[in-house]
């Protein structure tokens, strides 16, 4: 509560009680210096109160209209409880049945995966993000997570640029074209570079080639795990590498909170880059209507 009052928390994950959501939101809107509303997120992946088949089962219908209807129901129910952001759809192409998380996606085919990705986004977000029954979608995990070697979760991936563009990127591009407000950067390394510190995928492909204007959030502690990946010797270096690569929001690790101000002061991170990242986050909050209807 103290951190919210100081404006140090912009988003909360797994807070699902409407009374608690309103309590935290009231602190942000009434006590913080800038009165910026909190964005509440949750893994709403195949229904909220009403449960639908797992995403792989839904994809087996080959019917995007059913997926769109199901995700709209999930959005309506989640938004009613104050949850305005879902970490879905999972659009990773997966071709090794040993990888347990393939149950969260649409399988091995990029054409089907693209159709499902767009349907989820349309269902969650509706025609207007600020509608009472709309929530922000988050296409994950960008990118190549489903190619983990041996089907072992978190494992490394080696994907040629041809295969990346031909098979693994199309569902994400479909989600962006459908208007997804956010993407989640992945845990895995991609050809030796962690996905959450990969400027080629996050800046070159996503921002420059596709023109994405939304929010990029890291996966759970993915910024912190740059230390285990061997590309950062401390939390400050991990924060700098992830941020400069294009990750706007650090989920859970707190490394942006702990180090970003000092990195800007020491000119290791340009203040203009922080402005851009803040703009990406605020654009989502404004589009959701949180400033007008925070509670």
């Amino acid at each position: 509560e103290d951190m919210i009052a100081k404006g140090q928390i912009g988003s909360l994950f797994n807070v699902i009680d409407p009374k608690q959501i309103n309590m935290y939101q009231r602190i942000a809107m009434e006590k913080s210096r800038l009165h910026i509303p909190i964005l509440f997120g949750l893994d709403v992946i195949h229904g909220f109160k009403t449960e639908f088949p797992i995403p792989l089962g839904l994809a087996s219908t080959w019917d995007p209209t059913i997926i769109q209807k199901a995700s709209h129901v999930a959005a309506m129910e989640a938004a009613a409880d104050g949850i305005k952001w879902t970490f879905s759809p999972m659009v990773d192409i997966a071709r090794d049945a040993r990888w347990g998380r393939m149950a969260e996606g649409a399988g091995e085919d990029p054409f089907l995966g693209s159709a499902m990705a767009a349907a989820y986004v349309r269902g969650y977000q509706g025609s207007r993000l600020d509608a009472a029954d709309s929530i922000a979608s988050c296409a994950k995990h960008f990118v190549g997570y489903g190619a983990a070697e041996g089907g072992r979760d978190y494992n490394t991936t080696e994907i040629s640029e041809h295969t990346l563009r031909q098979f693994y990127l199309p569902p994400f591009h479909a989600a962006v074209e459908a208007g997804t407000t956010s993407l989640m950067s992945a845990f895995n390394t991609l050809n030796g570079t962690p996905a959450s510190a990969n400027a080629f995928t996050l800046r070159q492909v996503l921002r420059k080639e596709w023109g994405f204007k939304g929010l990029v959030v890291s996966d759970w502690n993915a910024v912190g795990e740059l230390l285990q990946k061997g590309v950062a010797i401390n939390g400050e270096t991990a924060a700098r590498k992830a941020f400069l690569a294009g990750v706007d929001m650090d989920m859970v690790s707190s490394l942006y909170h702990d180090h970003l101000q000092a990195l800007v002061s020491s000119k290791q991170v340009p203040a203009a880059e922080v402005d851009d990242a803040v703009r990406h986050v605020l654009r989502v909050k404004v589009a959701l209507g949180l400033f007008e209807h925070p509670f």
Side-chain angles (χ1 to χ4, degrees):
E1 293 176 24
D2 182 57
M3 290 178 72
I4 295 172
K6 292 178 180 177
Q8 295 178 345
I9 291 177
S11 156
L12 285 170
F13 185 11
N14 283 347
V15 182
I16 60 174
D17 176 51
K19 291 181 180 179
Q20 195 173 24
I21 285 173
N22 273 342
M23 180 191 72
Y24 289 143
Q25 194 71 287
R26 198 165 297 281
I27 296 171
M29 298 303 293
E30 296 177 359
K31 295 185 178 181
S32 69
R33 181 172 64 91
L34 296 175
H35 312 295
I36 296 173
I38 295 171
L39 179 56
F40 293 90
L42 184 70
D43 276 316
V44 182
I45 59 173
H46 54 100
F48 182 62
K49 298 292 186 181
T50 305
E51 293 184 16
F52 295 96
I54 61 171
L56 189 62
L58 287 170
S60 299
T61 66
W62 286 80
D63 188 348
T65 60
I66 288 179
I67 279 70
Q68 185 170 336
K69 289 177 181 178
S71 54
H72 174 69
V73 170
M76 179 174 59
E77 294 178 349
D81 275 5
I83 296 158
K84 293 293 286 183
W85 190 21
T86 176
F87 303 114
S88 172
M90 194 278 257
V91 300
D92 293 306
I93 295 298
R95 295 180 165 180
D96 190 333
R98 292 174 295 182
W99 189 54
R101 294 196 70 170
M102 71 184 306
E104 296 177 49
E108 63 183 359
D109 184 72
F111 180 82
L112 176 63
S114 297
M116 297 297 141
Y120 275 109
V121 172
R122 290 193 298 266
Y124 289 135
Q125 299 191 166
S127 57
R128 287 185 61 90
L129 268 171
D130 59 358
D133 59 352
S134 294
I135 61 177
S137 64
C138 182
K140 64 184 187 183
H141 310 81
F142 197 70
V143 60
Y145 188 40
E149 290 183 1
R152 294 189 298 274
D153 201 23
Y154 284 58
N155 206 0
T156 187
T157 64
E158 293 286 336
I159 306 172
S160 70
E161 186 173 345
H162 161 75
T163 301
L164 188 71
R165 292 183 180 275
Q166 189 79 6
F167 301 104
Y168 292 92
L169 284 172
F172 288 97
H173 188 237
V176 169
E177 290 289 291
T180 187
T181 54
S182 63
L183 273 85
M184 181 183 291
S185 61
F187 288 121
N188 59 284
T189 59
L190 175 61
N191 303 332
T193 302
S196 290
N198 196 317
F200 170 70
T201 55
L202 293 172
R203 290 197 180 273
Q204 174 61 35
V205 175
L206 184 62
R207 298 291 186 190
K208 292 182 180 179
E209 296 181 20
W210 296 356
F212 181 65
K213 302 295 185 185
L215 156 67
V216 174
V217 61
S218 78
D219 205 340
W220 182 280
N221 196 40
V223 177
E225 288 180 10
L226 294 181
L227 279 74
Q228 283 75 43
K229 296 288 193 296
V231 299
I233 59 173
N234 52 36
E236 184 179 39
T237 307
R240 177 175 58 83
K241 288 196 170 186
F243 188 80
L244 291 178
V247 177
D248 301 309
M249 184 187 289
D250 168 22
M251 184 191 286
V252 174
S253 82
S254 193
L255 293 182
Y256 283 9
H257 172 268
D258 296 344
H259 300 293
L260 203 51
Q261 185 173 348
L263 287 166
V264 172
S265 298
S266 63
K267 301 191 184 318
Q268 295 182 67
V269 169
E273 298 283 356
V274 179
D275 291 343
D276 280 343
V278 170
R279 191 174 293 113
H280 296 151
V281 177
L282 287 179
R283 185 178 286 122
V284 175
K285 293 185 176 184
V286 169
L288 285 167
L290 288 175
F291 285 88
E292 292 81 10
H293 304 286
F295 305 112

